[in-house]
C-alpha cells in the first residue's frame, strides 16, 4: 500500500511562535542574522556565510544584476536566473562582480603638458572640479598629479600656463593602494580632511577615486556581503541539461555559488550535475541542489555532494504545480522534516548541509517561522519582485503602482529545463502564472524593515542568533478560530483612507 503521512501538510500560516524569557540583553541591535550558505565539517566554518538569511529567487522577474547588487549591499545573495543564454547570464554575473560601490573611475583626466585653458574646458564639460593628471591623460594612466580649484587663480594666471606648473605633484599627494577597503579609504579621507582620495594600482596607475561627498551613501551598508577581493557576492542558477557549458562560463565570470534550479530535485539528473562539478572542480566550486520536501530527498542530495539543499515544491506564489500535477507539500511541513534530516545527517556524518526554504513567504513573520522551523536561509521571489531593483516593468493599474511577476514555469518564461524530467519530452502545460504584485519601493527600506521585525520577534523569544532560534524556539499550531483572533476583530474599523465623506 502507498505510504500515507500521519500529519496533514501544513503551511507557515498555521503556526505561531510562543515567546520565551527575554533578558535585558535581548535587544534588536544584539541580534545576529549571520548564517551559513554552504556545507562545512563539525568544528569548521562555512566557506560562504551571509549577513542576512535572504536570497533572491532564480527567476527572470526577480534576479538580475541590479537586484543582485542591491541585495549584496544588504548582506544577502541573489541567484541570477538561468533561463537565458549562457552569455547573458555570465554577463550579469560579471556586472555584479565588477561593481565597486564607492570606487569611481575618474572621468576628468588631463595630461601634464596641457594648459589651464584646456583644464577649464574639461571642467565645464564634466562639471567636476577634481581632475586627475595622468601621463597619457586617460583614466587608468600613470598618475603624476592632481588639480582642484584650489590650485589655480584664473585672474592671476595665463590661460596658457601648463598643468604641470600648478598641479599638486604625485609625490605630495595622499593616496591609497588598490585593495584598500571602502571604510579604510573613508577613514583616510576624514583623517586628512580630503575631498578626493586617489586609489593607485601597479606602476603608479590610477585605478579609482573615492570621494568624500559619497561617504553618506557608503556608510549606509554595514552588512554588505563581499568576497575576498572586496567584490559583491553573487550566485547563479544552472540546469541539468547544459551544465557542461553553463557552469564553466559562470565560474569564469566569477559566480560565488551556484544552484541547480529544478522544481523537483530528487533525481539522478541532479547527481550527474553534482558529479560533473566535483570531477572538474573538486570542492572549489560551491553548488546547491533541490528542490525536495522530505528526508529521503535531502539525504539523496546531501550524499550526492550538494553544498546546500533547497526545500519546497508548489508553495511559490505564482506556482500552480500542485493544481496541475498534484505533487508538493505544505512548506512548513517540508521545512520541519528536512531540517530534522539535516540535523540527523550532521550527527551521523559530522557534515552540516544548510537548507534553504524556497517560496511561500507571504508575511514578514513567515521568515522568522521558516528559520525557527530549521531553515538556514530563505529564498523569496514575490517579495523581491515588488522592489525598484527587480528587472520588470512598473505599471499603473486602477491608480495603483504594480510590478510584473511571472513564474519560471509560465508560458512567458518558458523555462522548461526547470520542469524537465529528462529524455526528449518537452512539457506541454504550464506550472506557473503571469501576474502583478503591488509595487513596494526600494529594496533596502523593505529588507531592513522586514528584518527589524524578525529581530524583534527573536528578542521576544529570548533568542539572539539563528542557530539559537532553530534549536530553542517554541512553535504552536494555530486553530482556524485562533487565526481570526489574531487579526483585528469585533471592532468597526475607522476609514483612514480619507474617503469617509463620500
Ligand atoms: P514566492 O517567493 O512565493 O513567489 O516563490 C518563489 C519560488 O517559486 C521560486 O524560488 C521557485 O522555487 C518557485 N517558482 C518559480 N517559478 C515557478 C513556477 O512557474 N511554478 N515556481
Amino acid at each position: 500500500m502507498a505510504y500515507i503521512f500521519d500529519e496533514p501538510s501544513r503551511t507557515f500560516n498555521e503556526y505561531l511562535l510562543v515567546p520565551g524569557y527575554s533578558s535585558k540583553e535581548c535587544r534588536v541591535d544584539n541580534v545576529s542574522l549571520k548564517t551559513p550558505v554552504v556545507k562545512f565539517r563539525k568544528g569548521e566554518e562555512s566557506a560562504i556565510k551571509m549577513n542576512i538569511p535572504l536570497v533572491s529567487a532564480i527567476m527572470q522577474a526577480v534576479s538580475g544584476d541590479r537586484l543582485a547588487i542591491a541585495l549584496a549591499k544588504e548582506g544577502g545573495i541573489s541567484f541570477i536566473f538561468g533561463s537565458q543564454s549562457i552569455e547573458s547570464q555570465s554577463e550579469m554575473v560579471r556586472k555584479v562582480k565588477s561593481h565597486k560601490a564607492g570606487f569611481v573611475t575618474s572621468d576628468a583626466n588631463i595630461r601634464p603638458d596641457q594648459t589651464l585653458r584646456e583644464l577649464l574646458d574639461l571642467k565645464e564639460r564634466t562639471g567636476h572640479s577634481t581632475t586627475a593628471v595622468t601621463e597619457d591623460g586617460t583614466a587608468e594612466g600613470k598618475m603624476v598629479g592632481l588639480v582642484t580649484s584650489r590650485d589655480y587663480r584664473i585672474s592671476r594666471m595665463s590661460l596658457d600656463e601648463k598643468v604641470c606648473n600648478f598641479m599638486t605633484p604625485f609625490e605630495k599627494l595622499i593616496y591609497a593602494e588598490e585593495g584598500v577597503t571602502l571604510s579604510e579609504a573613508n577613514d583616510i579621507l576624514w583623517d586628512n580632511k580630503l575631498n578626493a582620495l586617489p586609489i593607485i594600482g601597479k606602476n603608479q596607475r590610477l585605478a579609482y577615486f573615492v570621494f568624500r561627498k559619497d561617504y553618506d551613501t557608503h556608510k549606509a551598508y554595514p552588512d554588505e556581503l563581499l568576497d575576498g577581493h572586496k567584490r559583491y557576492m553573487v550566485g547563479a542558477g544552472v540546469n541539468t541539461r547544459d551544465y557542461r557549458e553553463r557552469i564553466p562560463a559562470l565560474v569564469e565570470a566569477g559566480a560565488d555559488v551556484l544552484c541547480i534550479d529544478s522544481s523537483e530535485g530528487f533525481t539522478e539528473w541532479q547527481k550527474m550535475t553534482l558529479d560533473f562539478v566535483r570531477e572538474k572542480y573538486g570542492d572549489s566550486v560551491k553548488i546547491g541542489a533541490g528542490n525536495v520536501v522530505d528526508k529521503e530527498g535531502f539525504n539523496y542530495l546531501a550524499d550526492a555532494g550538494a553544498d546546500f539543499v533547497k526545500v519546497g515544491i508548489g508553495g511559490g506564489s505564482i506556482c500552480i504545480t500542485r493544481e496541475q500535477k498534484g505533487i508538493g507539500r505544505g512548506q512548513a511541513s517540508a521545512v520541519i522534516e528536512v531540517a530534522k534530516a539535516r540535523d540527523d545527517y550532521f550527527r551521523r556524518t559530522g557534515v552540516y548541509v544548510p537548507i534553504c526554504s524556497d517560496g511561500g513567504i507571504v508575511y514578514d513573520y513567515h521568515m522568522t517561522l521558516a528559520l525557527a522551523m530549521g531553515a538556514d536561509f530563505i529564498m523569496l521571489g514575490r517579495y523581491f519582485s515588488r522592489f525598484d531593483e527587480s528587472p520588470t516593468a512598473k505599471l499603473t493599474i486602477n491608480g495603483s503602482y504594480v510590478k510584473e511577476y511571472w513564474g519560471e514555469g509560465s508560458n512567458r518564461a518558458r523555462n522548461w529545463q526547470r520542469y524537465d524530467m529528462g529524455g526528449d519530452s518537452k512539457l506541454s502545460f504550464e506550472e506557473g502564472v503571469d501576474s502583478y504584485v503591488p509595487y513596494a519601493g526600494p529594496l533596502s527600506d523593505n529588507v531592513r524593515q522586514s528584518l527589524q521585525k524578525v529581530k524583534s520577534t527573536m528578542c521576544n523569544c529570548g533568542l539572539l542568533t539563528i542557530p539559537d532560534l532553530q534549536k530553542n524556539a517554541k512553535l504552536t499550531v494555530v486553530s482556524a478560530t485562533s487565526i481570526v483572533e489574531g487579526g483585528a476583530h469585533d471592532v468597526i474599523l475607522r476609514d483612514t483612507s480619507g474617503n469617509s465623506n463620500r
Side-chain angles (χ1 to χ4, degrees), residues 358-421:
D358 176 15
I361 298 288
V362 180
Y363 301 109
D364 290 335
Y365 81 87
H366 287 172
M367 297 180 189
T368 329
L369 286 177
L371 297 169
M373 288 169 185
D376 296 285
F377 55 102
I378 304 161
M379 179 171 271
L380 308 99
R382 187 196 62 85
Y383 177 81
F384 286 116
S385 69
R386 301 169 305 144
F387 305 152
D388 284 322
E389 295 85 351
S390 77
T392 69
K394 182 173 147 194
L395 311 168
T396 324
I397 292 185
N398 298 332
S400 304
Y401 284 122
V402 294
K403 289 206 65 159
E404 298 176 304
Y405 180 45
W406 60 92
E408 287 294 295
S410 68
N411 262 329
R412 184 163 178 184
R414 300 196 155 274
N415 181 0
W416 302 136
Q417 286 96 329
R418 186 171 194 273
Y419 300 88
D420 185 12
M421 289 306 286

Side-chain angles (χ1 to χ4, degrees), residues 259-275:
C259 183
I260 307 174
D261 179 29
S262 174
S263 70
E264 196 275 286
F266 188 1
T267 69
E268 194 174 350
W269 309 108
Q270 298 245 332
K271 182 169 163 22
M272 286 161 64
T273 310
L274 294 168
D275 284 347

Side-chain angles (χ1 to χ4, degrees), residues 178-227:
E178 209 175 354
V180 69
T181 66
L182 196 52
S183 75
E184 286 161 354
N186 277 317
D187 285 348
I188 302 174
L189 276 173
W190 282 85
D191 291 348
N192 296 283
K193 301 190 175 162
L194 302 172
N195 287 325
L197 179 72
I199 310 294
I200 302 296
K202 276 205 189 100
N203 302 326
Q204 210 173 301
R205 290 193 172 275
L206 176 62
Y208 307 102
F209 275 111
V210 173
F211 291 103
R212 183 191 187 100
K213 65 176 171 41
D214 294 340
Y215 176 74
D216 286 342
T217 2
H218 310 152
K219 73 162 190 215
Y221 300 106
D223 283 327
E224 64 183 358
L225 195 63
L226 304 172
D227 65 16

Side-chain angles (χ1 to χ4, degrees), residues 364 367 383 445-454:
D364 290 335
M367 297 180 189
Y383 177 81
D445 295 354
N446 284 278
V447 164
R448 287 178 188 204
Q449 192 183 65
S450 300
L451 294 181
Q452 200 67 7
K453 289 189 206 167
V454 171

Side-chain angles (χ1 to χ4, degrees), residues 317-495:
S317 56
I318 33 47
C319 184
I320 51 170
T321 293
R322 292 183 195 168
E323 282 173 19
Q324 292 279 61
K325 302 201 326 200
I327 59 161
R329 194 171 188 192
Q331 189 62 11
S333 302
V335 171
I336 291 168
E337 179 174 322
V338 176
K340 191 171 170 309
R342 176 211 47 211
D343 293 343
D344 290 344
Y345 192 87
F346 182 51
R347 268 189 292 276
R348 234 177 26 247
T349 65
V351 178
Y352 187 93
V353 182
I355 63 168
C356 168
S357 169
D358 176 15
I361 298 288
V362 180
Y363 301 109
D364 290 335
Y365 81 87
H366 287 172
M367 297 180 189
T368 329
L369 286 177
L371 297 169
M373 288 169 185
D376 296 285
F377 55 102
I378 304 161
M379 179 171 271
L380 308 99
R382 187 196 62 85
Y383 177 81
F384 286 116
S385 69
R386 301 169 305 144
F387 305 152
D388 284 322
E389 295 85 351
S390 77
T392 69
K394 182 173 147 194
L395 311 168
T396 324
I397 292 185
N398 298 332
S400 304
Y401 284 122
V402 294
K403 289 206 65 159
E404 298 176 304
Y405 180 45
W406 60 92
E408 287 294 295
S410 68
N411 262 329
R412 184 163 178 184
R414 300 196 155 274
N415 181 0
W416 302 136
Q417 286 96 329
R418 186 171 194 273
Y419 300 88
D420 185 12
M421 289 306 286
D424 288 329
S425 64
K426 286 273 170 280
L427 280 182
S428 51
F429 55 91
E430 290 183 283
E431 291 197 36
V433 298
D434 191 352
S435 71
Y436 301 115
V437 287
Y439 163 70
L443 178 142
S444 174
D445 295 354
N446 284 278
V447 164
R448 287 178 188 204
Q449 192 183 65
S450 300
L451 294 181
Q452 200 67 7
K453 289 189 206 167
V454 171
K455 288 178 175 178
S456 173
T457 308
M458 287 170 69
C459 288
N460 293 132
C461 298
L463 305 167
L464 298 181
T465 65
I466 292 175
D468 205 10
L469 178 69
Q470 290 169 330
K471 216 156 121 211
N472 297 315
K474 289 185 287 181
L475 291 147
T476 177
V477 173
V478 292
S479 68
T481 46
S482 76
I483 293 177
V484 176
E485 188 186 60
H489 61 93
D490 301 309
V491 293
I492 301 165
L493 287 182
R494 285 170 70 155
D495 184 350

